Amino acid sequence: MRPVSGKEASPTVKPYAQMQLRANHASGKGQAVRNRILNETATWQAIDAALGFGDMNAAARLAEAMLAAGQRDPMLFNLAAWAREEAGDFAQAHTLLREALTLAPNDPLIHLSIGAVMRKEGRLDEAFATFARVAPAVGDNPAYWLER
């Protein structure tokens, strides 16, 4: 999968100010709820920082921890799928990416990730077709993604 630079990651990462507001409004619901929201905010900031530094492994570990804690966000599933893809567990990568698609069916990065897994599996025709479908949305030539 294509590593995501900090510049590309920022629009995907949760808006911290909104999460801070949620935490402030949750204070009436108890300290535990407020602490959970603040912890989520800190984790999203850590994911954003890891992506900004190009540390996909750290970002994926944080995403997997958030998923294990019950969070459901397409970016988290995409990062966890990257880790599975890198480990050669293509079936699990596809499972995670399908879950990401249920949350964000039109997200081109998820579709590019699916194509990347297919490419690594040697399913080049399917990978190219996937890249070709989303190339207009990302402004790239599908052959560029096939060669990555």
Side-chain angles (χ1 to χ4, degrees), residues 7 10 15-16 57 75 84 99 107 109 144:
K7 186 169 38 169
S10 295
Y16 310 126
N57 290 316
M75 181 182 177
R84 301 294 8 113
E99 189 64 32
D107 186 328
L109 289 179
Y144 167 79

Side-chain angles (χ1 to χ4, degrees), residues 15-146:
Y16 310 126
Q18 286 181 344
M19 293 181 87
Q20 198 71 37
L21 274 172
R22 274 185 51 217
N24 291 340
H25 290 295
S27 61
K29 297 177 183 172
Q31 192 63 33
V33 172
R34 186 174 191 282
N35 287 344
R36 180 185 54 78
I37 293 169
L38 290 173
N39 187 44
E40 288 172 16
T41 303
T43 305
W44 277 109
Q45 288 172 329
I47 288 172
D48 195 28
L51 291 173
F53 287 115
D55 189 348
M56 291 290 291
N57 290 316
R61 281 192 305 275
L62 290 164
E64 288 171 332
M66 288 185 79
L67 288 170
Q71 291 296 308
R72 292 184 43 83
D73 185 276
M75 181 182 177
L76 298 176
F77 285 106
N78 200 359
L79 286 168
W82 175 85
R84 301 294 8 113
E85 174 193 342
E86 289 296 301
D89 186 354
F90 302 129
Q92 184 61 27
H94 280 297
T95 298
L96 291 163
L97 290 168
R98 278 193 301 275
E99 189 64 32
L101 279 178
T102 65
L103 300 170
N106 299 317
D107 186 328
L109 289 179
I110 296 169
H111 289 277
L112 290 172
S113 297
I114 291 169
V117 175
M118 289 176 177
R119 179 183 49 83
K120 282 193 176 177
E121 291 174 306
R123 297 163 51 191
L124 300 181
D125 290 340
E126 291 173 89
F128 185 81
T130 301
F131 296 146
R133 278 194 304 277
V134 293
V138 295
D140 280 334
N141 180 333
Y144 167 79
W145 289 94
L146 197 59

